[in-house]
Amino acid sequence: MGQMPATKGPVISKKIDRFFIGLASAFLFVKRFFQEVWKPPYEFKEIARQCYEIGYRSLPLISLTGFIVGVVFTNQSRPSLSEFGATSWLPALISIAIIRAMGPLVTALIAAGKVGSSIGAEIGSMKVTEQIDAMEVSAINPFKYLVVTRTLAATFMIPVLVMYTDFVALMGAFLNVNANEMVSLSTFFVQVFEAVSFLDIFSSILKSLVFGFTIGIVGCYKGYNSSKGTEGVGKAANAAVVMAMFLIFIEELLALQIVNAIRAL
Amino acid sequence: MEKVVEIRDLFKSFGDNHVLRGVDLDLYKGENLVVLGKSGTGKSVLIKIMVGLLPIDSGDITIFGQSIKGLKLGALNKLRLRIGFAFQHSALYDSMTVRENMEFPLTRNVKGLTRKEIDYRIDRLLNSVGLPQTANQMPSELSGGQKKRIGVARTLVLEPEIMLYDEPTAGLDPITCMEINHLINQVREEFNTSSIVITHDLTCAKVTGDRMAVLLDGQFGAVGTFDEVFHAEADPRIKSFYDYNFIQ
Ligand SMILES: Nc1ncnc2c1ncn2[C@@H]1O[C@H](COP(=O)(O)OP(=O)(O)O)[C@@H](O)[C@H]1O
Ligand SMILES: [Mg+2]
């Protein structure tokens, strides 16, 4: 057994310390959100502006991705189903896959990239250039004005965007099914809605709310705690995306477990 | 003379970095007090503590007779409205126009103003700082000197009694420096403010300051008029300050 280098212990314990300090500060940040969200002023104008920004920023990429996901997924699923002569199940299969999993996940990941990074960079640069301090010294609550508004806007907007992605992806799927199996639009959508249950839609919306909250609060947290200098702003934006995506995958797994448990009841 | 700020035995550290080590300072009503010091001596930290952006380690600061130690946010905010803080890099809100920058603190702190009253106040201040034409511009369209002026105008919108200027002339050309120096004096005349001007520019100190205080190693090494501070037998660290500025 080799002797441990003398510095190893403190280095590891410092890293562990830093991890728990980070965890605690993130927890306090989230806690502060839930304390301040109820207090006036409610900043409706700023929330509306942020909603618009979030929607506007992600719409082009989400439209494109949603459509392609619909087309490709339909195309790739056809051979397996046709082996059993079951291509008539395509609309049902696609609808379940898109509404339960792909719509929310694709939308959230794209929004984490577009929206999370821009929130992280914007708040980070306001922090670095002392704009946040400037609000504080003029008795304005910057947490309320910046963090609460952006987090709420992301929480409201991601479910809306998810519904939009679901629709676009289903249209992509329809075009593919229509071209190959000659299914009409009305038949297609009847099959789509027959396949999904109330639980599917409800859990999809709930999950999207959680994804939206995650994207907003993580972007704000990373920006708010960004270090000095322009380098700090870039790091904040990057860290916001990585952290949000990581959490979204974890939440997706948790949601899957919960919904499966409910379904088994 | 009436004291508006009293700083007593103030200590502030960041980890092992002991920045302020027993600072004592008074600001009298109506005076311009210049705080001089090398980069990194804690000048900004000192005024940030005064407005509650950083907490006090030990010692105390009394502003308008009220200790700021352990002040609740509500009371602190009331005090903050009586103090204007002009940031080193202006800290203008870059998503807002100049007019919106000034409207933001005003409408959030003074309720029940009509549109006309708001515009009147803003236009008057923009005229005061000589930039009425910039009202609808974005901060990114302004020059460094213009940003500083708007930064000052924005803090004046709440009619503060104390002004804190953090390196108002840093990074500006000599002519613009002089304009800012005159603006600082003009603000005192027009708005009856007492000010702390932080700088390491001796011309700025000489033009704007009634008294100087030199921050050396976490304490004020000398306090007095320009001639009292910079005399032949002064501390070598203070003299080197003087030599360096005027050789340049
Ligand atoms: N928020 C902070 N956290 C840690 N250290 C800080 C903080 N603010 C300032 N410092 C440190 O305090 C010292 C004084 O900084 P500052 O007051 O900005 O100097 P200056 O006199 O140039 O304005 C510097 O060493 C700086 O690194
Ligand atoms: Mg400074």
Side-chain angles (χ1 to χ4, degrees):
Chain A
M1 271 201 291
Q3 195 77 13
M4 269 242 212
T7 55
K8 199 91 179 182
V11 169
I12 289 178
S13 87
K14 239 184 207 161
K15 275 198 177 154
I16 294 174
D17 279 359
R18 212 177 305 143
F19 174 77
F20 281 106
I21 290 169
L23 208 62
S25 90
F27 174 77
L28 290 177
F29 196 81
V30 175
K31 187 175 146 206
R32 186 167 174 200
F33 172 86
F34 285 107
Q35 284 168 343
E36 305 229 358
V37 70
W38 314 109
K39 294 184 208 153
Y42 297 110
E43 312 285 3
F44 291 118
K45 216 174 122 196
E46 182 63 12
I47 294 175
R49 195 173 75 86
Q50 290 304 322
C51 284
Y52 173 78
E53 285 275 310
I54 289 170
Y56 175 80
R57 239 181 246 146
S58 6
L59 215 50
L61 199 55
I62 280 178
S63 307
L64 185 71
T65 319
F67 187 78
I68 290 175
V69 163
V71 173
V72 171
F73 185 71
T74 312
N75 226 6
Q76 301 285 18
S77 308
R78 183 171 292 109
S80 330
L81 284 185
S82 71
E83 261 181 50
F84 306 103
T87 48
S88 61
W89 288 0
L90 260 178
L93 174 81
I94 293 158
S95 120
I96 287 177
I98 286 176
I99 289 172
R100 279 191 194 167
M102 304 237 276
L105 204 54
V106 164
T107 313
L109 291 177
I110 290 177
K114 290 288 276 190
V115 177
S117 67
S118 75
I119 291 178
E122 188 190 13
I123 295 190
S125 89
M126 293 188 76
K127 167 86 182 183
V128 169
T129 58
E130 299 183 314
Q131 292 175 52
I132 292 182
D133 287 343
M135 284 186 194
E136 239 163 282
V137 299
S138 43
I140 295 164
N141 180 347
F143 194 93
K144 185 98 222 199
Y145 185 75
L146 299 171
V147 176
V148 172
T149 53
R150 280 160 179 76
T151 306
L152 282 181
T155 310
F156 295 143
M157 281 311 282
I158 300 303
V160 173
L161 288 172
V162 165
M163 285 182 230
Y164 173 77
T165 311
D166 287 349
F167 174 74
V168 174
L170 287 172
M171 284 313 289
F174 165 72
L175 289 183
N176 192 295
V177 171
N178 178 263
N180 291 283
E181 281 87 22
M182 317 296 162
V183 174
S184 75
L185 187 66
S186 56
T187 318
F188 178 81
F189 272 100
V190 166
Q191 286 178 299
V192 160
F193 284 114
E194 269 174 359
V196 293
S197 63
F198 173 75
L199 180 64
D200 289 329
I201 294 180
F202 182 74
S203 67
S204 162
I205 292 174
L206 211 60
K207 196 162 70 173
S208 312
L209 283 169
V210 174
F211 289 165
F213 176 78
T214 304
I215 293 167
I217 199 94
V218 169
C220 291
Y221 174 73
K222 291 294 178 185
Y224 220 78
N225 292 292
S226 82
S227 48
K228 284 260 162 194
T230 35
E231 194 196 3
V233 177
K235 273 193 192 150
N238 194 320
V241 178
V242 174
M243 175 61 82
M245 285 188 174
F246 175 74
L247 290 175
I248 285 167
F249 282 120
I250 305 255
E251 287 161 2
E252 173 70 37
L253 284 176
L254 283 177
L256 185 67
Q257 299 301 321
I258 294 169
V259 172
N260 281 345
I262 294 174
R263 218 169 257 137
L265 289 180
Chain B
M1 256 209 288
E2 192 187 336
K3 286 176 190 167
V4 286
V5 179
E6 283 183 68
I7 302 174
R8 287 293 170 267
D9 207 24
L10 182 70
F11 282 76
K12 179 73 194 171
S13 314
F14 299 99
D16 294 334
N17 184 4
H18 304 287
V19 181
L20 302 178
R21 283 168 284 176
V23 165
D24 289 295
L25 194 68
D26 294 320
L27 177 69
Y28 294 99
K29 194 170 168 59
E31 77 167 336
N32 278 354
L33 172 66
V34 167
V35 170
L36 289 156
K38 279 198 302 190
S39 224
T41 46
K43 305 183 296 296
S44 300
V45 166
L46 179 66
I47 56 172
K48 282 183 181 169
I49 292 174
M50 289 177 60
V51 290
L53 284 176
L54 293 170
I56 294 177
D57 283 357
S58 73
D60 200 4
I61 300 183
T62 311
I63 303 179
F64 303 122
Q66 186 179 19
S67 163
I68 66 161
K69 218 162 142 181
L71 217 52
K72 289 249 168 21
L73 186 66
L76 177 64
N77 277 341
K78 278 218 181 81
L79 195 59
R80 281 168 166 173
L81 295 179
R82 302 173 70 183
I83 305 174
F85 195 120
F87 286 87
Q88 180 170 356
H89 302 287
S90 312
L92 299 179
Y93 306 124
D94 44 30
S95 61
M96 301 181 194
T97 64
V98 166
R99 181 180 292 282
E100 288 163 348
N101 259 281
M102 297 175 66
E103 223 177 287
F104 188 58
L106 183 60
T107 52
R108 258 141 223 281
N109 288 301
V110 188
K111 297 290 166 209
L113 288 177
T114 63
R115 182 75 247 169
K116 231 171 138 182
E117 287 167 325
I118 295 170
D119 285 341
Y120 173 78
R121 266 211 218 190
I122 292 175
D123 292 335
R124 191 184 130 219
L125 283 170
L126 284 176
N127 277 320
S128 264
V129 300
L131 292 170
Q133 75 282 8
T134 60
N136 298 315
Q137 283 180 312
M138 298 304 283
S140 59
E141 300 169 78
L142 304 177
S143 71
Q146 288 177 324
K147 278 186 194 162
K148 297 254 179 179
R149 285 167 178 273
I150 299 298
V152 171
R154 185 180 67 182
T155 64
L156 289 173
V157 88
L158 290 169
E159 298 173 345
E161 295 152 67
I162 296 177
M163 279 296 290
L164 306 173
Y165 298 92
D166 196 351
E167 311 221 4
T169 59
L172 300 178
D173 63 84
I175 296 171
T176 314
C177 278
M178 220 25 154
E179 288 172 5
I180 297 289
N181 294 339
H182 292 315
L183 177 66
I184 292 171
N185 287 335
Q186 179 203 332
V187 164
R188 171 175 50 180
E189 301 298 315
E190 247 181 85
F191 301 90
N192 294 317
T193 51
S194 323
S195 319
I196 294 182
V197 182
I198 286 182
T199 188
H200 50 234
D201 166 10
L202 282 195
T203 315
C204 171
K206 209 169 176 176
V207 175
T208 62
D210 303 311
R211 288 193 307 142
M212 329 272 127
V214 188
L215 195 56
L216 298 169
D217 301 324
Q219 288 192 332
F220 280 106
V223 182
T225 62
F226 191 86
D227 295 328
E228 282 166 6
V229 170
F230 297 101
H231 57 83
E233 286 88 44
D235 185 312
R237 291 171 297 178
I238 297 177
K239 270 210 310 231
S240 72
F241 211 107
Y242 183 86
D243 296 340
Y244 171 74
N245 257 270
F246 286 100
I247 288 164
Q248 263 207 333

mmCIF file of all heavy atoms in Angstrom, chain A residues 101-142:
data_model
loop_
_atom_site.group_PDB
_atom_site.id
_atom_site.type_symbol
_atom_site.label_atom_id
_atom_site.label_comp_id
_atom_site.label_asym_id
_atom_site.label_seq_id
_atom_site.Cartn_x
_atom_site.Cartn_y
_atom_site.Cartn_z
ATOM 1 N N ALA A 101 -43.180 11.516 -24.900
ATOM 2 C CA ALA A 101 -41.746 11.683 -24.655
ATOM 3 C C ALA A 101 -41.052 12.704 -25.551
ATOM 4 O O ALA A 101 -40.430 13.649 -25.076
ATOM 5 C CB ALA A 101 -41.044 10.342 -24.775
ATOM 6 N N MET A 102 -41.192 12.518 -26.878
ATOM 7 C CA MET A 102 -40.306 13.280 -27.764
ATOM 8 C C MET A 102 -40.619 14.767 -27.788
ATOM 9 O O MET A 102 -39.691 15.588 -27.793
ATOM 10 C CB MET A 102 -40.398 12.718 -29.168
ATOM 11 C CG MET A 102 -40.081 11.241 -29.174
ATOM 12 S SD MET A 102 -38.749 10.891 -30.255
ATOM 13 C CE MET A 102 -39.633 10.789 -31.759
ATOM 14 N N GLY A 103 -41.891 15.119 -27.793
ATOM 15 C CA GLY A 103 -42.266 16.544 -27.838
ATOM 16 C C GLY A 103 -41.658 17.303 -26.681
ATOM 17 O O GLY A 103 -40.885 18.256 -26.878
ATOM 18 N N PRO A 104 -41.988 16.894 -25.440
ATOM 19 C CA PRO A 104 -41.430 17.621 -24.295
ATOM 20 C C PRO A 104 -39.897 17.610 -24.276
ATOM 21 O O PRO A 104 -39.270 18.648 -24.024
ATOM 22 C CB PRO A 104 -41.979 16.855 -23.088
ATOM 23 C CG PRO A 104 -43.204 16.194 -23.583
ATOM 24 C CD PRO A 104 -42.963 15.881 -25.026
ATOM 25 N N LEU A 105 -39.308 16.474 -24.568
ATOM 26 C CA LEU A 105 -37.859 16.365 -24.445
ATOM 27 C C LEU A 105 -37.136 17.207 -25.499
ATOM 28 O O LEU A 105 -36.223 17.979 -25.180
ATOM 29 C CB LEU A 105 -37.452 14.894 -24.572
ATOM 30 C CG LEU A 105 -36.141 14.501 -23.924
ATOM 31 C CD1 LEU A 105 -36.107 14.912 -22.459
ATOM 32 C CD2 LEU A 105 -35.905 13.001 -24.051
ATOM 33 N N VAL A 106 -37.578 17.086 -26.746
ATOM 34 C CA VAL A 106 -36.932 17.857 -27.827
ATOM 35 C C VAL A 106 -37.080 19.353 -27.571
ATOM 36 O O VAL A 106 -36.116 20.122 -27.661
ATOM 37 C CB VAL A 106 -37.552 17.461 -29.193
ATOM 38 C CG1 VAL A 106 -37.193 18.488 -30.252
ATOM 39 C CG2 VAL A 106 -37.099 16.072 -29.589
ATOM 40 N N THR A 107 -38.295 19.767 -27.204
ATOM 41 C CA THR A 107 -38.529 21.192 -26.951
ATOM 42 C C THR A 107 -37.660 21.689 -25.797
ATOM 43 O O THR A 107 -37.035 22.755 -25.884
ATOM 44 C CB THR A 107 -40.005 21.435 -26.584
ATOM 45 O OG1 THR A 107 -40.810 20.738 -27.516
ATOM 46 C CG2 THR A 107 -40.337 22.902 -26.607
ATOM 47 N N ALA A 108 -37.632 20.915 -24.724
ATOM 48 C CA ALA A 108 -36.891 21.359 -23.543
ATOM 49 C C ALA A 108 -35.399 21.438 -23.834
ATOM 50 O O ALA A 108 -34.731 22.384 -23.406
ATOM 51 C CB ALA A 108 -37.157 20.422 -22.369
ATOM 52 N N LEU A 109 -34.878 20.484 -24.585
ATOM 53 C CA LEU A 109 -33.444 20.503 -24.865
ATOM 54 C C LEU A 109 -33.078 21.683 -25.762
ATOM 55 O O LEU A 109 -32.068 22.352 -25.550
ATOM 56 C CB LEU A 109 -33.001 19.182 -25.502
ATOM 57 C CG LEU A 109 -33.058 17.980 -24.558
ATOM 58 C CD1 LEU A 109 -32.662 16.701 -25.285
ATOM 59 C CD2 LEU A 109 -32.165 18.194 -23.343
ATOM 60 N N ILE A 110 -33.936 21.951 -26.747
ATOM 61 C CA ILE A 110 -33.660 23.104 -27.607
ATOM 62 C C ILE A 110 -33.777 24.402 -26.817
ATOM 63 O O ILE A 110 -32.924 25.285 -26.915
ATOM 64 C CB ILE A 110 -34.610 23.118 -28.819
ATOM 65 C CG1 ILE A 110 -34.232 21.962 -29.743
ATOM 66 C CG2 ILE A 110 -34.539 24.450 -29.550
ATOM 67 C CD1 ILE A 110 -35.126 21.830 -30.925
ATOM 68 N N ALA A 111 -34.800 24.485 -25.991
ATOM 69 C CA ALA A 111 -34.970 25.704 -25.196
ATOM 70 C C ALA A 111 -33.831 25.862 -24.197
ATOM 71 O O ALA A 111 -33.401 26.989 -23.916
ATOM 72 C CB ALA A 111 -36.316 25.692 -24.486
ATOM 73 N N ALA A 112 -33.336 24.751 -23.653
ATOM 74 C CA ALA A 112 -32.200 24.847 -22.733
ATOM 75 C C ALA A 112 -31.021 25.489 -23.457
ATOM 76 O O ALA A 112 -30.329 26.343 -22.900
ATOM 77 C CB ALA A 112 -31.816 23.474 -22.200
ATOM 78 N N GLY A 113 -30.828 25.092 -24.726
ATOM 79 C CA GLY A 113 -29.735 25.663 -25.508
ATOM 80 C C GLY A 113 -29.961 27.118 -25.854
ATOM 81 O O GLY A 113 -29.096 27.961 -25.641
ATOM 82 N N LYS A 114 -31.152 27.438 -26.380
ATOM 83 C CA LYS A 114 -31.392 28.810 -26.833
ATOM 84 C C LYS A 114 -31.718 29.744 -25.667
ATOM 85 O O LYS A 114 -31.102 30.795 -25.511
ATOM 86 C CB LYS A 114 -32.577 28.837 -27.813
ATOM 87 C CG LYS A 114 -32.332 28.202 -29.156
ATOM 88 C CD LYS A 114 -31.418 29.018 -30.020
ATOM 89 C CE LYS A 114 -32.089 30.128 -30.794
ATOM 90 N NZ LYS A 114 -31.136 30.699 -31.773
ATOM 91 N N VAL A 115 -32.707 29.357 -24.881
ATOM 92 C CA VAL A 115 -33.224 30.257 -23.845
ATOM 93 C C VAL A 115 -32.323 30.254 -22.610
ATOM 94 O O VAL A 115 -31.966 31.316 -22.092
ATOM 95 C CB VAL A 115 -34.659 29.835 -23.455
ATOM 96 C CG1 VAL A 115 -35.184 30.701 -22.334
ATOM 97 C CG2 VAL A 115 -35.569 29.899 -24.671
ATOM 98 N N GLY A 116 -31.935 29.048 -22.180
ATOM 99 C CA GLY A 116 -31.094 28.957 -20.979
ATOM 100 C C GLY A 116 -29.797 29.722 -21.139
ATOM 101 O O GLY A 116 -29.395 30.471 -20.251
ATOM 102 N N SER A 117 -29.162 29.569 -22.296
ATOM 103 C CA SER A 117 -27.883 30.253 -22.479
ATOM 104 C C SER A 117 -28.081 31.759 -22.558
ATOM 105 O O SER A 117 -27.266 32.524 -22.049
ATOM 106 C CB SER A 117 -27.168 29.748 -23.723
ATOM 107 O OG SER A 117 -27.880 30.105 -24.870
ATOM 108 N N SER A 118 -29.166 32.202 -23.187
ATOM 109 C CA SER A 118 -29.299 33.657 -23.308
ATOM 110 C C SER A 118 -29.692 34.287 -21.975
ATOM 111 O O SER A 118 -29.249 35.391 -21.666
ATOM 112 C CB SER A 118 -30.249 34.042 -24.435
ATOM 113 O OG SER A 118 -31.560 33.815 -24.062
ATOM 114 N N ILE A 119 -30.467 33.572 -21.175
ATOM 115 C CA ILE A 119 -30.760 34.095 -19.824
ATOM 116 C C ILE A 119 -29.473 34.146 -19.001
ATOM 117 O O ILE A 119 -29.170 35.146 -18.339
ATOM 118 C CB ILE A 119 -31.811 33.223 -19.099
ATOM 119 C CG1 ILE A 119 -33.186 33.373 -19.755
ATOM 120 C CG2 ILE A 119 -31.905 33.618 -17.618
ATOM 121 C CD1 ILE A 119 -34.276 32.507 -19.127
ATOM 122 N N GLY A 120 -28.689 33.067 -19.076
ATOM 123 C CA GLY A 120 -27.429 33.018 -18.325
ATOM 124 C C GLY A 120 -26.493 34.149 -18.728
ATOM 125 O O GLY A 120 -25.913 34.829 -17.877
ATOM 126 N N ALA A 121 -26.383 34.375 -20.040
ATOM 127 C CA ALA A 121 -25.475 35.418 -20.523
ATOM 128 C C ALA A 121 -25.990 36.811 -20.164
ATOM 129 O O ALA A 121 -25.225 37.687 -19.758
ATOM 130 C CB ALA A 121 -25.296 35.302 -22.035
ATOM 131 N N GLU A 122 -27.299 37.012 -20.310
ATOM 132 C CA GLU A 122 -27.859 38.344 -20.052
ATOM 133 C C GLU A 122 -27.703 38.730 -18.579
ATOM 134 O O GLU A 122 -27.181 39.801 -18.259
ATOM 135 C CB GLU A 122 -29.343 38.361 -20.444
ATOM 136 C CG GLU A 122 -29.931 39.750 -20.392
ATOM 137 C CD GLU A 122 -31.440 39.753 -20.546
ATOM 138 O OE1 GLU A 122 -32.061 38.668 -20.446
ATOM 139 O OE2 GLU A 122 -31.992 40.844 -20.744
ATOM 140 N N ILE A 123 -28.111 37.830 -17.698
ATOM 141 C CA ILE A 123 -28.018 38.140 -16.273
ATOM 142 C C ILE A 123 -26.553 38.174 -15.849
ATOM 143 O O ILE A 123 -26.149 39.022 -15.045
ATOM 144 C CB ILE A 123 -28.851 37.148 -15.443
ATOM 145 C CG1 ILE A 123 -30.312 37.341 -15.807
ATOM 146 C CG2 ILE A 123 -28.623 37.356 -13.948
ATOM 147 C CD1 ILE A 123 -31.289 36.634 -14.935
ATOM 148 N N GLY A 124 -25.741 37.274 -16.425
ATOM 149 C CA GLY A 124 -24.314 37.291 -16.118
ATOM 150 C C GLY A 124 -23.679 38.623 -16.473
ATOM 151 O O GLY A 124 -22.918 39.190 -15.689
ATOM 152 N N SER A 125 -24.025 39.166 -17.639
ATOM 153 C CA SER A 125 -23.384 40.428 -18.015
ATOM 154 C C SER A 125 -23.930 41.584 -17.181
ATOM 155 O O SER A 125 -23.214 42.535 -16.882
ATOM 156 C CB SER A 125 -23.503 40.679 -19.518
ATOM 157 O OG SER A 125 -24.673 41.369 -19.809
ATOM 158 N N MET A 126 -25.183 41.483 -16.751
ATOM 159 C CA MET A 126 -25.715 42.519 -15.857
ATOM 160 C C MET A 126 -25.027 42.480 -14.499
ATOM 161 O O MET A 126 -24.800 43.505 -13.868
ATOM 162 C CB MET A 126 -27.221 42.342 -15.660
ATOM 163 C CG MET A 126 -28.019 42.588 -16.908
ATOM 164 S SD MET A 126 -29.777 42.606 -16.605
ATOM 165 C CE MET A 126 -29.976 44.213 -15.853
ATOM 166 N N LYS A 127 -24.684 41.275 -14.075
ATOM 167 C CA LYS A 127 -23.973 41.111 -12.804
ATOM 168 C C LYS A 127 -22.568 41.711 -12.911
ATOM 169 O O LYS A 127 -22.148 42.503 -12.072
ATOM 170 C CB LYS A 127 -23.897 39.621 -12.487
ATOM 171 C CG LYS A 127 -22.957 39.231 -11.397
ATOM 172 C CD LYS A 127 -23.629 39.348 -10.078
ATOM 173 C CE LYS A 127 -22.677 38.998 -8.951
ATOM 174 N NZ LYS A 127 -23.360 39.054 -7.675
ATOM 175 N N VAL A 128 -21.885 41.344 -13.985
ATOM 176 C CA VAL A 128 -20.493 41.748 -14.151
ATOM 177 C C VAL A 128 -20.355 43.261 -14.339
ATOM 178 O O VAL A 128 -19.412 43.872 -13.864
ATOM 179 C CB VAL A 128 -19.887 40.977 -15.350
ATOM 180 C CG1 VAL A 128 -18.554 41.525 -15.732
ATOM 181 C CG2 VAL A 128 -19.771 39.509 -15.003
ATOM 182 N N THR A 129 -21.316 43.869 -15.029
ATOM 183 C CA THR A 129 -21.234 45.314 -15.264
ATOM 184 C C THR A 129 -21.946 46.116 -14.167
ATOM 185 O O THR A 129 -22.240 47.290 -14.352
ATOM 186 C CB THR A 129 -21.840 45.689 -16.628
ATOM 187 O OG1 THR A 129 -23.204 45.235 -16.641
ATOM 188 C CG2 THR A 129 -21.093 45.044 -17.772
ATOM 189 N N GLU A 130 -22.232 45.461 -13.065
ATOM 190 C CA GLU A 130 -22.803 46.104 -11.867
ATOM 191 C C GLU A 130 -24.218 46.651 -12.073
ATOM 192 O O GLU A 130 -24.689 47.462 -11.289
ATOM 193 C CB GLU A 130 -21.875 47.221 -11.351
ATOM 194 C CG GLU A 130 -20.511 46.693 -10.944
ATOM 195 C CD GLU A 130 -19.580 47.750 -10.366
ATOM 196 O OE1 GLU A 130 -19.489 48.831 -10.961
ATOM 197 O OE2 GLU A 130 -18.954 47.478 -9.333
ATOM 198 N N GLN A 131 -24.916 46.193 -13.130
ATOM 199 C CA GLN A 131 -26.297 46.645 -13.298
ATOM 200 C C GLN A 131 -27.200 46.098 -12.194
ATOM 201 O O GLN A 131 -28.179 46.737 -11.794
ATOM 202 C CB GLN A 131 -26.836 46.205 -14.663
ATOM 203 C CG GLN A 131 -26.159 46.912 -15.819
ATOM 204 C CD GLN A 131 -26.615 46.378 -17.166
ATOM 205 O OE1 GLN A 131 -27.791 46.295 -17.448
ATOM 206 N NE2 GLN A 131 -25.669 46.010 -18.004
ATOM 207 N N ILE A 132 -26.850 44.901 -11.693
ATOM 208 C CA ILE A 132 -27.645 44.322 -10.609
ATOM 209 C C ILE A 132 -27.429 45.117 -9.318
ATOM 210 O O ILE A 132 -28.380 45.426 -8.601
ATOM 211 C CB ILE A 132 -27.316 42.819 -10.447
ATOM 212 C CG1 ILE A 132 -27.842 42.061 -11.685
ATOM 213 C CG2 ILE A 132 -27.902 42.258 -9.163
ATOM 214 C CD1 ILE A 132 -27.638 40.577 -11.666
ATOM 215 N N ASP A 133 -26.156 45.507 -9.077
ATOM 216 C CA ASP A 133 -25.871 46.368 -7.924
ATOM 217 C C ASP A 133 -26.603 47.699 -8.060
ATOM 218 O O ASP A 133 -27.106 48.242 -7.082
ATOM 219 C CB ASP A 133 -24.360 46.648 -7.820
ATOM 220 C CG ASP A 133 -23.592 45.424 -7.346
ATOM 221 O OD1 ASP A 133 -24.227 44.503 -6.805
ATOM 222 O OD2 ASP A 133 -22.356 45.396 -7.518
ATOM 223 N N ALA A 134 -26.648 48.219 -9.296
ATOM 224 C CA ALA A 134 -27.304 49.512 -9.522
ATOM 225 C C ALA A 134 -28.781 49.431 -9.155
ATOM 226 O O ALA A 134 -29.348 50.372 -8.596
ATOM 227 C CB ALA A 134 -27.127 49.956 -10.970
ATOM 228 N N MET A 135 -29.422 48.294 -9.474
ATOM 229 C CA MET A 135 -30.824 48.142 -9.080
ATOM 230 C C MET A 135 -30.934 48.128 -7.564
ATOM 231 O O MET A 135 -31.785 48.804 -6.985
ATOM 232 C CB MET A 135 -31.384 46.828 -9.624
ATOM 233 C CG MET A 135 -31.688 46.890 -11.091
ATOM 234 S SD MET A 135 -32.497 45.379 -11.637
ATOM 235 C CE MET A 135 -32.312 45.610 -13.392
ATOM 236 N N GLU A 136 -30.056 47.353 -6.940
ATOM 237 C CA GLU A 136 -30.130 47.230 -5.488
ATOM 238 C C GLU A 136 -29.986 48.582 -4.794
ATOM 239 O O GLU A 136 -30.741 48.871 -3.877
ATOM 240 C CB GLU A 136 -29.078 46.249 -4.993
ATOM 241 C CG GLU A 136 -29.716 45.105 -4.246
ATOM 242 C CD GLU A 136 -28.796 43.928 -4.092
ATOM 243 O OE1 GLU A 136 -28.616 43.152 -5.048
ATOM 244 O OE2 GLU A 136 -28.267 43.784 -2.989
ATOM 245 N N VAL A 137 -29.022 49.394 -5.245
ATOM 246 C CA VAL A 137 -28.835 50.666 -4.545
ATOM 247 C C VAL A 137 -29.942 51.665 -4.867
ATOM 248 O O VAL A 137 -30.079 52.658 -4.167
ATOM 249 C CB VAL A 137 -27.455 51.325 -4.808
ATOM 250 C CG1 VAL A 137 -26.337 50.427 -4.347
ATOM 251 C CG2 VAL A 137 -27.277 51.706 -6.262
ATOM 252 N N SER A 138 -30.732 51.420 -5.908
ATOM 253 C CA SER A 138 -31.891 52.303 -6.063
ATOM 254 C C SER A 138 -33.153 51.617 -5.547
ATOM 255 O O SER A 138 -34.253 51.885 -6.018
ATOM 256 C CB SER A 138 -32.032 52.830 -7.491
ATOM 257 O OG SER A 138 -31.814 51.817 -8.413
ATOM 258 N N ALA A 139 -32.969 50.739 -4.571
ATOM 259 C CA ALA A 139 -34.079 50.130 -3.835
ATOM 260 C C ALA A 139 -35.017 49.322 -4.727
ATOM 261 O O ALA A 139 -36.197 49.196 -4.444
ATOM 262 C CB ALA A 139 -34.860 51.183 -3.046
ATOM 263 N N ILE A 140 -34.480 48.795 -5.817
ATOM 264 C CA ILE A 140 -35.260 47.902 -6.669
ATOM 265 C C ILE A 140 -34.761 46.491 -6.390
ATOM 266 O O ILE A 140 -33.564 46.276 -6.268
ATOM 267 C CB ILE A 140 -35.064 48.261 -8.151
ATOM 268 C CG1 ILE A 140 -35.631 49.653 -8.431
ATOM 269 C CG2 ILE A 140 -35.734 47.222 -9.054
ATOM 270 C CD1 ILE A 140 -35.166 50.247 -9.732
ATOM 271 N N ASN A 141 -35.682 45.532 -6.289
ATOM 272 C CA ASN A 141 -35.292 44.161 -5.987
ATOM 273 C C ASN A 141 -34.920 43.449 -7.288
ATOM 274 O O ASN A 141 -35.794 43.077 -8.065
ATOM 275 C CB ASN A 141 -36.464 43.469 -5.291
ATOM 276 C CG ASN A 141 -36.153 42.040 -4.926
ATOM 277 O OD1 ASN A 141 -35.167 41.465 -5.393
ATOM 278 N ND2 ASN A 141 -36.995 41.461 -4.087
ATOM 279 N N PRO A 142 -33.622 43.257 -7.554
ATOM 280 C CA PRO A 142 -33.230 42.675 -8.839
ATOM 281 C C PRO A 142 -33.639 41.206 -8.967
ATOM 282 O O PRO A 142 -33.905 40.743 -10.072
ATOM 283 C CB PRO A 142 -31.698 42.805 -8.864
ATOM 284 C CG PRO A 142 -31.301 42.962 -7.451
ATOM 285 C CD PRO A 142 -32.450 43.554 -6.717
#
